[in-house]
């Protein structure tokens, strides 16, 4: 059967979609570039904010309104909605929660055996599974890149499932379940296999990835045996991956500021392939709001973590997530966030307007900041970040950056784009012999808030 997957939400969803793609292909189904040609369309959903959920559910509803093909919903919104999903989306054939995505090929096979998509819509299928299950197929990678996935020479690798952090506003622990760290040897083998297929860059994924190995043991031997003296599970994993031939770059996301240990800083110093970028969501610059969110660090503690990283290299890229309009956020709290962003000198920032999520602790509080004020705070932070991004990038003009070339730029097909170690987008004119995945030196000639422009050095 021909199939197409639409993916909403974070990198974790992109990775899950790719694994489903690989498993469906292995079962003999054929991926198509567009939903119009597909007999099966799957929507991978997000529910972290109300709007994100509405988008995915709305898309699925539109697909189901046109009969004649099989439609499935997977991901976080399924776990939140449970059996109600079939009332919300009439005609939906199956719905599968985030820890059960590996069951999709079997469900599709069973529905096909019932004559779907052409023999009407008898019973639909729901697989929620509780968060304790460890999905199989976590190491399944498609031969070519699927929608949103990074490309043939870059790959996501899931290392930590779920989240045990319980930040007051966040629905992720409810829908993605308890933390489970994959065995380290399994990850090393997977990355080795990716390297042999030509992958140059891996990005390790986890909601709070620095907690890798905290909840369950991941190394078969004792933690003391790394000959270079790495004792903490995640730094030790990075160190092991750094030794794999063919892999040139190692990234990871997202990092909780509390995991920024001295050993992690040592990894950046000693492991050449570990990129000098951390996505370190701060959420707020107000100690009062941080405490209410249950983030377990202070403004000062956060800035200390940033200082450690910038102590390694002033151009170490630090990016962040911020929430505006959290319940009870005053003008003073907001200004504290603004000043923290200035002090941290973020290279990039994603700003989110607070959205109450059912079942979270914060949803019990009054959503006190009016929507228009959330919009204003959002715009103020984005304008600050534009200026700051330009300043930070401006410092790189005249320097030479090592760039992993990705291919023709979307805006101007005569130019190529790629990323430096700090994950900054760099646009340049390619040479004739250049291939996607090449590492090239680019001298930076121009800076924009989110893009650097340069020429081959
Ligand atoms: N696990 C990551 C972390 O903690 O850094 C990110 C999780 S979440 C998928 C991505 C971002 O969405 C968070 O960093 C937060 O800024 C934002 N977010 C989560 N819940 C939210 C909510 N209820 N309203 C608005 N933004 C939210
Ligand atoms: Fe949500 Fe906090 Fe876990 Fe991130 S660390 S997924 S914000 S609960």
């Amino acid at each position: 059967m021909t199939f197409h997957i639409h993916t909403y939400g974070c990198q974790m969803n992109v990775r899950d979609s790719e694994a489903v793609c690989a498993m469906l292909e292995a079962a003999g189904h054929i991926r198509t570039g567009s939903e119009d040609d597909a007999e099966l369309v799957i929507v991978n959903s997000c529910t972290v904010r109300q709007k994100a959920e509405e988008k995915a559910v709305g898309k699925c509803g539109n697909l189901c309104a046109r009969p004649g093909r099989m439609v499935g919903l997977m991901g976080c919104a399924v776990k939140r909605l449970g059996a109600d999903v079939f009332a919300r989306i009439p005609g939906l054939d199956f719905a599968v929660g985030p820890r059960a995505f590996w069951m999709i090929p079997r469900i599709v096979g069973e529905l096909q055996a019932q004559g779907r998509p052409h023999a009407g819509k008898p019973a639909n299928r729901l697989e929620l599974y509780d968060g304790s299950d460890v999905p199989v197929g976590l190491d399944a990678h498609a031969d070519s890149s699927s929608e949103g996935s990074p490309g043939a020479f870059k790959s996501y690798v899931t290392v930590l499932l779920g989240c045990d952090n319980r930040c007051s506003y966040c629905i992720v622990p409810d829908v993605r379940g308890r933390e489970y760290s994959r065995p380290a040897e399994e990850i090393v083998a997977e990355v080795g296999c990716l390297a042999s297929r030509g992958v140059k860059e891996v990005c390790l994924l986890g909601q709070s990835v620095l907690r890798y190995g905290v909840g369950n043991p991941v190394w078969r031997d004792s933690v003391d045996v790394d000959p270079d003296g790495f004792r903490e599970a995640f730094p030790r994993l990075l160190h092991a991956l750094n030794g794999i031939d063919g892999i040139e770059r190692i990234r990871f996301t997202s990092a909780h500021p509390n995991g920024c240990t001295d050993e992690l800083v040592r990894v950046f110093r000693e492991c050449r392939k570990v990129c000098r970028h951390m996505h370190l969501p701060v959420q707020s610059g107000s100690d009062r709001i941080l405490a209410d969110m249950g983030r377990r660090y202070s403004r000062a503690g956060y800035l200390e973590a940033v200082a450690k990283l910038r102590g390694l290299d002033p151009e170490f890229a630090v990016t962040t997530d911020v929430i505006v309009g959290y319940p009870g956020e005053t003008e003073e709290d907001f200004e504290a966030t603004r000043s923290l962003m200035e002090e941290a000198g973020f290279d990039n920032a994603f700003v989110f307007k607070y959205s109450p999520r059912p079942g979270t602790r914060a949803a019990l509080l009054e959503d006190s900041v009016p929507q228009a004020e959330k919009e204003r705070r959002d715009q103020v932070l984005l304008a600050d970040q534009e200026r700051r991004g330009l300043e930070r990038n401006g410092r790189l003009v005249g320097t030479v950056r090592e760039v992993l070339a990705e291919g023709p730029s979307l805006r101007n097909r005569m130019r190529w784009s790629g990323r430096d170690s700090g994950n900054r987008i760099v646009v340049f004119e390619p040479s004739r012999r250049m291939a996607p995945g090449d590492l090239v030196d680019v001298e930076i000639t121009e800076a924009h808030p989110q893009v650097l422009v340069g020429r081959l050095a």
Side-chain angles (χ1 to χ4, degrees):
M1 189 156 55
T2 51
F3 73 93
H4 186 78
I5 307 183
H6 282 290
T7 305
Y8 294 89
C10 63
Q11 294 101 325
M12 198 73 85
N13 269 10
V14 172
R15 174 68 201 115
D16 291 349
S17 290
E18 197 206 336
V20 171
C21 222
M23 287 186 280
L24 284 171
E25 282 181 330
H29 302 288
I30 300 156
R31 180 146 48 101
T32 64
S34 113
E35 70 186 38
D36 297 332
D37 313 322
E39 293 162 286
L40 161 67
V41 183
I42 300 174
V43 175
N44 193 351
S45 60
C46 173
T47 186
V48 79
R49 285 168 294 279
Q50 180 65 28
K51 276 221 170 103
E53 182 181 296
E54 281 164 9
K55 252 194 204 168
V57 169
K59 174 75 190 175
C60 216
N62 288 341
L63 288 164
C64 290
R66 286 179 287 160
R69 65 179 148 201
M70 199 188 288
V71 179
L73 184 68
M74 64 183 273
C76 297
V78 176
K79 184 82 168 104
R80 192 188 88 70
L81 291 166
D84 290 351
V85 74
F86 295 110
R88 285 276 298 271
I89 310 171
L92 184 65
D93 291 283
F94 65 89
V96 173
R99 294 277 269 252
F101 66 76
W102 52 277
M103 301 178 79
I104 288 178
R106 200 171 73 206
I107 293 171
V108 168
E110 286 166 9
L111 291 175
Q112 249 188 317
Q114 291 172 17
R116 306 261 191 124
H118 302 293
K121 308 254 177 188
N124 39 38
R125 285 285 301 272
L126 174 69
E127 294 293 350
L128 288 177
Y129 264 44
D130 85 327
S132 58
D133 289 288
V134 180
V136 294
L138 278 171
D139 58 353
H141 288 269
D143 281 334
S144 50
S145 62
S146 42
E147 190 191 51
S149 79
F153 50 88
K154 288 201 220 176
S155 196
Y156 289 131
V157 174
T158 300
V159 301
L160 175 73
L161 306 173
C163 182
D164 285 351
N165 268 337
R166 296 257 154 221
C167 301
S168 64
Y169 50 83
C170 187
I171 198 168
V172 169
D174 290 338
V175 292
R176 284 204 167 256
R178 298 299 305 269
E179 277 177 9
Y180 170 77
S181 301
R182 290 177 65 205
E185 281 86 358
E186 193 178 303
I187 296 165
V188 172
E190 179 177 337
V191 173
C193 182
L194 288 168
S196 69
R197 286 162 60 168
V199 167
K200 300 270 180 66
E201 179 179 307
V202 288
C203 180
L204 311 181
L205 299 181
Q207 290 298 341
S208 194
V209 73
L210 303 183
R211 283 177 54 83
Y212 175 74
V214 172
N216 59 287
V218 287
W219 293 94
R220 231 178 285 134
D221 43 34
S222 106
V223 285
D224 268 342
V225 298
D226 183 319
D228 290 302
F230 286 100
R231 300 167 67 94
E232 295 169 13
F234 191 63
R236 193 177 160 193
L237 177 67
L238 292 172
H239 182 240
L241 299 180
N242 191 62
I244 295 179
D245 284 344
I247 294 296
E248 294 293 342
R249 283 181 167 183
I250 303 161
R251 300 185 185 279
F252 54 87
T253 196
S254 275
H256 190 284
N258 284 358
C260 197
T261 61
D262 290 343
E263 203 163 282
L264 185 72
V265 173
R266 197 184 135 207
V267 167
F268 285 117
R269 203 179 298 119
E270 296 181 14
C271 299
R272 176 186 68 78
K273 299 175 182 177
V274 179
C275 290
R276 297 201 156 195
H277 168 226
M278 271 244 254
H279 186 63
L280 205 59
V282 66
Q283 314 301 358
S284 172
S286 154
D287 278 335
R288 193 180 69 83
I289 298 286
L290 285 174
D292 203 274
M293 287 176 163
R295 292 289 289 178
R296 295 178 291 104
Y297 54 83
S298 64
R299 172 192 177 98
Y302 182 89
L303 288 169
E304 237 171 70
V306 174
K308 273 200 227 173
L309 300 171
R310 294 268 167 74
L312 285 167
D313 172 359
E315 305 314 332
F316 193 108
V318 183
T319 57
T320 203
D321 292 344
V322 169
I323 296 177
V324 290
Y326 181 81
E329 185 188 69
T330 62
E331 187 61 25
E332 199 183 325
D333 294 319
F334 170 66
E335 284 301 328
T337 299
R338 240 184 129 181
S339 68
L340 174 130
M341 292 179 77
E342 200 56 46
E343 275 181 57
F346 289 123
D347 293 272
N348 204 351
F350 299 91
V351 183
F352 300 106
K353 288 168 276 210
Y354 171 72
S355 161
R357 304 309 291 128
T360 60
R361 233 172 342 109
L364 301 173
L365 306 170
E366 186 198 347
D367 185 11
S368 58
V369 180
Q371 193 58 26
E373 181 57 15
K374 286 181 187 166
E375 298 279 353
R376 186 192 72 83
R377 292 180 187 180
D378 178 47
Q379 289 305 313
V380 169
L381 295 189
L382 289 178
D384 284 356
Q385 188 54 46
E386 279 281 295
R387 174 193 40 77
R388 192 179 307 115
L390 184 58
E391 273 166 28
R392 293 270 315 157
N393 281 346
R395 293 151 51 122
L396 299 175
V397 172
T399 65
V400 173
R401 310 294 299 168
E402 187 183 59
V403 172
L404 185 79
E406 294 184 357
S409 147
L410 289 178
R411 288 227 180 130
N412 176 351
R413 308 299 287 174
M414 304 296 286
R415 287 174 165 187
W416 275 33
S417 73
R419 289 188 186 250
D420 76 351
S421 172
N423 212 29
R424 301 174 187 92
I425 299 170
V426 181
V427 175
F428 56 95
E429 275 179 30
S431 71
R432 282 179 185 220
R433 295 181 309 275
M434 197 174 283
D438 283 353
L439 278 171
V440 294
D441 284 335
V442 178
E443 184 189 344
I444 306 303
T445 53
E446 224 179 282
H448 299 270
Q450 311 230 10
V451 179
L452 294 165
V453 180
R455 58 174 163 249
L456 289 175

